[in-house]
Amino acid sequence: ERVLLGAWRRRERVRQGRGEREARVRRRFEAQWAKYAEGLTSFVRTQAARGHQWVATVDATGHPVWLSQKTGKTRRSDPIEARIRENLARERKKAEDRVDDHLERLQAFWAHEDDDWEAAMA
């Protein structure tokens, strides 16, 4: 009886540790993402500055617009900021998918581990 009780307590500690591990993976992801996003933003800005394609100006009504020196077309929103938002959204989605996949594999392994434990205890 003591052996079973000890095994059950260890099992509960293991299950609690799993939740802590998932939380740690999520926190680490957010920290890594913040650094990556900062670097990606810096890279896109640097690339845009080298091209000197867009110039901020105002239109006939006094609203700010961005003028392409290459094509002569204007945009109402900052094209560099739009590119940054697009890149960040795309890369964030890919990174989140990878983290979710990692967590799903962990949970599948844990479920298999639980099944083995239940079978051993039956």
Side-chain angles (χ1 to χ4, degrees):
E1 191 173 294
R2 286 181 122 175
V3 173
L4 286 176
L5 187 57
W8 181 79
R9 285 182 180 157
R10 279 192 303 279
R11 194 80 205 135
E12 287 306 307
R13 281 195 303 270
V14 165
R15 285 188 177 144
Q16 182 181 7
R18 292 174 180 175
E20 292 168 0
R21 181 161 181 196
E22 281 188 51
R24 190 170 51 248
V25 166
R26 295 270 180 209
R27 282 192 312 271
R28 187 173 47 205
F29 168 75
E30 290 301 331
Q32 289 173 342
W33 174 254
K35 281 186 147 186
Y36 180 79
E38 184 180 319
L40 181 60
T41 300
S42 174
F43 174 76
V44 171
R45 287 185 198 283
T46 302
Q47 292 298 313
R50 284 200 300 172
H52 298 293
Q53 180 178 350
W54 296 96
V55 177
T57 186
V58 293
D59 63 7
T61 61
H63 294 353
V65 294
W66 281 261
L67 173 68
S68 170
Q69 292 180 344
K70 196 175 193 179
T71 64
K73 293 182 180 180
T74 60
R75 290 184 59 163
R76 294 229 177 254
S77 63
D78 186 350
I80 296 167
E81 294 302 318
R83 177 170 285 160
I84 290 170
R85 280 191 308 277
E86 291 166 2
N87 283 329
L88 286 175
R90 182 182 62 247
E91 294 300 319
R92 173 79 186 208
K93 174 78 171 99
K94 289 192 308 191
E96 285 176 343
D97 288 346
R98 285 192 298 268
V99 167
D100 291 342
D101 185 49
H102 173 69
L103 289 174
E104 285 174 13
R105 285 193 315 270
L106 271 178
Q107 290 167 352
F109 174 75
W110 292 335
H112 179 70
E113 211 176 46
D114 288 344
D115 292 343
D116 288 349
W117 189 80
E118 293 294 329
M121 290 296 141

